[in-house]
Amino acid sequence: MKYIKKKFFIENVKVRNLTKKFSTPIYCYSYKKLKKNIMIFKKNFKNLNPLICFAVKANANLKLLKEIKKFGLGADVVSLGELTKALKAGIQTKKIVFSGVGKTSEELRFAIDKKILLINAESKSEILEIERIAKSKREIVNIGIRLNPNTDAKTLKQISTGKKQDKFGLTEKYFLELVKYLKNSKFIKLKCLSVHIGSQILSNQPYEKMLKVVDRIIKKSNYKFEFIDLGGGMGISYDKKIKNLNYKKYAVAIKKVLKKHNTKIIFEPGRSIIGNTAILVSKVIYIKHGSNKNFVILDAGMNDLMRPALYGAEHQIIPENKKNVFTKKTYEFVGPICESTDRFLTAKKFQKLNEKDLVIISDVGAYGMSLSSNYNVRLKPAEILIKGYKINVIKKRQRLKDLI
Ligand code: LLP
């Protein structure tokens, strides 16, 4: 993704041409970036020989899942829908793990029938439900138990999951009790300890703390786990000033734990695989003068990209057509939706924009389209995958008749 002669390109395709054909707003993905992210992830954790299960919640586009599958990745799913999509994408059942605090009987039965690698259970009740189903089917089901390590992930509080006040995982006491209980279960084979402390984690310190807890609890449990599933959470740079999580450092810390416990490692990365692969292209509908700022009203809204409204997340916005003229007034980029939280970014200095200009909202590949909605009866945007010169519509824009 770059400017060529002041026009923005994804790989070899001029973004402006895409909008002529497919209108706006549109999500555009770069295959090259996706491939690069997967290669970098694999390379940095090579020593651990992990099973990498892509967190489907970050992006559930079927065509993208198929591409991700081709690199040998598995899937981390959290619902019947995600599991069905992962299977449809051709991901092998032996590379699928199922997470989540509220799996229904229907979901558990389906996962058990498909013989996926692991169901990562998060409560005693869920384990008893799995046991009931397994017994009725006379099958042995492989599970993990998710530990709540009470570790601060030092990320946005809305996306932190590993502290004791969070609903996720089991406290040390209950975790150990369940390990003991499962030692004698005829229908459940406990294979995995799983953890996931949060998302968009940029420092290794929380991971290192979490690994210490994992190490201590495995010792205490006196149980031989076949897998440790470390979840995802690796943070990416949404802003030039911030660097991605240092994978190498994380790998070293994990290796230390593996010296004591000889287990296989599972990762469930979402954002770090797909986050920076996509842009959301939007058109300026109106520019409205306010008292001390100008509102740039875009045709993309919080229904298309929810992260700013939901978490106060900032996605950089850049012009599609670079010019050297700047405004003196602050721009506030907002959507057309009737909510004050429908705003994307405030920019003190920005290129002077005109109505009908195109802008690029950056790094929207993860939790962009997957969090989108039909709020205000707005149509979900099209998704386009670019591979070199090739333009592939991987999801058509919704039509009004789909909604009415
Ligand atoms: N595994 C589990 C059990 C998870 O709950 C999650 C994310 C992941 C893996 C993947 O985490 P990642 O590598 O993508 O950080 N919507 C929020 C993020 C929510 C994350 C939820 N769980 C956002 O837009 O920032």
Side-chain angles (χ1 to χ4, degrees), residues 1 7 91 98 124 133 137 158 259 287 316 404:
M1 297 185 204
K7 301 281 190 294
I91 295 174
F98 195 162
K124 182 168 181 184
I133 299 170
K137 292 184 184 285
Q158 301 97 320
K259 277 195 185 130
I287 297 179
Q316 295 310 306
I404 292 170

Side-chain angles (χ1 to χ4, degrees), residues 53 55 57-58 76 78 99-100 122 146 156 158-159 161 168 195-196 198-201 207 229-235 238 267-273 307 310-311 313 315 366-368 370-371:
C53 295
K57 64 170 81 64
D76 160 46
V78 292
S99 312
E122 300 212 23
R146 176 157 171 189
L156 293 172
Q158 301 97 320
I159 53 175
T161 52
F168 301 97
V195 275
H196 171 79
S199 197
Q200 183 57 4
I201 299 170
Y207 281 126
D229 178 343
L230 292 170
M234 296 81 167
Y238 284 103
F267 287 121
E268 302 169 354
R271 191 190 314 268
S272 49
I273 300 296
R307 298 192 71 254
L310 202 53
Y311 315 113
H315 289 259
Y367 309 104
S370 68
L371 266 172

